[in-house]
Amino acid sequence: MQIVWTLLLVLPILVEGWLFKPKYHTVTITGKFTCGGVPIRNCLVRLVDDDVLFDDTMKSGWTNSNGEFTLTGKGRDAFDTKPDPFAKIEYNYINRMRVKDRLGRTRWNRSSKKKNFSGIYNVGTVNINNEHCRAYLHFRSAIIHYLAQSGNGALPYSSLSVRSNALLTAGTPWATRNSVRLPGGYSLDYDTAKHELAHTVRQTLDGSFGHFLYDVIRFKYAQTHSCNKFTNFGFAFNEGWAEYWEGQCSCVTSGGSDMRYEGNVAACLCKLAACKGHTRMWNVVESYPKQIHSYSSFKSRLYAKYPGVCPGISPC
């Protein structure tokens, strides 16, 4: 009986595949994807045949520096009809970063389709305007900035996961070691993307996931923050580092010497970076995993690794 049921399930698929799809048709699709008028660069794009049950990818590639693409593939549909092609953009930045939904699937948008078509299909400019494509734009730019300024050729993890419209956010973005969660409808900007990216990189360089959880508990990471909020040395350094990296260098509290204020930490880190350089700053973090959880511990290791006191950085 099991064999009979298997044949009943498989036979229609075989019939469709062998009898009603004898011929492939060539399709070239070309166009441009933008997000709020800004080109979506270096993003995964697919030439897809729209089918009833499961869409078929005929070709994949990447948008260029202008958000443009041209893909050529072959497809076929039942009863020897031509494919129904459309362009699908998936928010994947050359496998370095993906914008994902709550289930971990890469978010996407698409062009209109052309029914029963072969030949060249120009979809024109497809302009998208949502929080998902904006997250892609800002985190892509943040990654490029980090790679250029840090002196590192790659991120310290295989790929950054950005969950847009995520659950468990308490209305504010937050980051772990290789993941960022954004609340639904959040107005993300480039500086915030740099801030959250800096968290993921520093927390990865600092040690294992278990060590990160230990820091979360002992330094009370799970709380709201502001540059002039009094907390503890570990929390202030964690947030101060991200603020330094986003360029927030002028929020000074009580003269700037108390490093339990993250704004003071950020201001002093900015001064050290102006003296020693961003590359050396990141090199110190990478060289001393599990050891740097305050401004003083960072500064002492910076001077140990790169001797020479920075002048004119009082009260840092």
Side-chain angles (χ1 to χ4, degrees):
M1 181 60 71
Q2 184 176 358
I3 295 176
V4 173
W5 280 110
T6 302
L7 289 174
L8 289 174
L9 290 172
V10 172
L11 188 59
I13 299 174
L14 297 177
V15 169
E16 181 189 10
W18 292 341
L19 298 181
F20 299 114
K21 287 189 176 181
K23 183 179 179 181
Y24 282 96
H25 301 272
T26 300
V27 177
T28 295
I29 197 164
T30 185
K32 178 177 181 177
F33 278 106
T34 61
C35 176
V38 179
I40 303 177
R41 302 176 173 94
N42 312 122
C43 193
L44 180 62
V45 63
R46 300 184 190 274
L47 166 58
V48 181
D49 177 16
D50 187 13
D51 284 337
V52 176
L53 294 178
F54 302 104
D55 294 340
D56 298 323
T57 296
M58 294 184 281
K59 190 70 174 180
S60 299
W62 306 93
T63 58
N64 65 15
S65 60
N66 292 318
E68 300 163 337
F69 61 91
T70 299
L71 299 171
T72 299
K74 293 183 178 181
R76 59 184 184 177
D77 278 349
F79 306 105
D80 199 23
T81 58
K82 297 175 182 179
D84 304 321
F86 65 90
K88 177 182 181 181
I89 190 164
E90 298 182 11
Y91 297 121
N92 173 347
Y93 169 48
I94 54 175
N95 296 327
R96 287 175 172 169
M97 178 270 295
R98 293 173 175 84
V99 179
K100 298 181 178 181
D101 64 16
R102 293 174 178 177
L103 298 179
R105 301 169 299 192
T106 303
R107 291 195 181 273
W108 55 272
N109 286 104
R110 55 170 286 180
S111 72
S112 59
K113 71 178 179 181
K114 199 87 154 177
K115 289 186 66 65
N116 194 26
F117 180 83
S118 64
I120 300 175
Y121 177 26
N122 187 344
V123 302
T125 297
V126 181
N127 186 50
I128 305 158
N129 194 4
N130 60 38
E131 61 192 285
H132 316 306
C133 72
R134 288 192 292 272
Y136 176 88
L137 293 183
H138 290 314
F139 275 98
R140 173 189 173 274
S141 296
I143 290 171
I144 292 172
H145 169 264
Y146 167 77
L147 296 177
Q149 296 295 318
S150 69
N152 293 326
L155 296 170
Y157 37 73
S158 59
S159 180
L160 174 66
S161 172
V162 179
R163 298 288 183 99
S164 58
N165 192 22
L167 297 173
L168 304 175
T169 62
T172 187
W174 59 276
T176 58
R177 295 175 71 250
N178 65 340
S179 177
V180 176
R181 291 178 177 270
L182 303 174
Y186 184 80
S187 182
L188 181 74
D189 58 23
Y190 174 49
D191 286 343
T192 303
K194 288 194 293 182
H195 182 108
E196 298 303 329
L197 178 68
H199 275 316
T200 68
V201 175
R202 195 197 72 80
Q203 287 161 182
T204 298
L205 295 176
D206 189 45
S208 66
F209 184 68
H211 179 75
F212 167 69
L213 292 180
Y214 177 51
D215 287 348
V216 169
I217 295 170
R218 63 174 172 159
F219 298 130
K220 302 178 182 178
Y221 283 175
Q223 60 176 298
T224 58
H225 73 95
S226 63
C227 65
N228 57 3
K229 182 179 180 180
F230 181 83
T231 55
N232 60 69
F233 291 114
F235 182 92
F237 180 76
N238 184 53
E239 290 298 338
W241 182 271
E243 288 176 11
Y244 139 65
W245 191 247
E246 75 170 279
Q248 188 179 142
C249 302
S250 58
C251 183
V252 176
T253 302
S254 300
S257 61
D258 191 335
M259 296 305 163
R260 288 169 291 184
Y261 292 98
E262 62 194 70
N264 293 349
V265 173
C268 286
L269 289 173
C270 290
K271 292 178 181 179
L272 289 177
C275 171
K276 297 292 187 179
H278 295 305
T279 298
R280 289 181 173 182
M281 299 283 280
W282 281 109
N283 284 346
V284 170
V285 171
E286 186 173 9
S287 298
Y288 299 96
K290 302 182 181 181
Q291 299 179 50
I292 300 176
H293 299 101
S294 68
Y295 173 77
S296 62
S297 63
F298 174 81
K299 180 182 174 183
S300 64
R301 286 165 175 80
L302 176 68
Y303 283 164
K305 189 172 180 66
Y306 302 106
V309 175
C310 294
I313 64 168
S314 178
C316 303

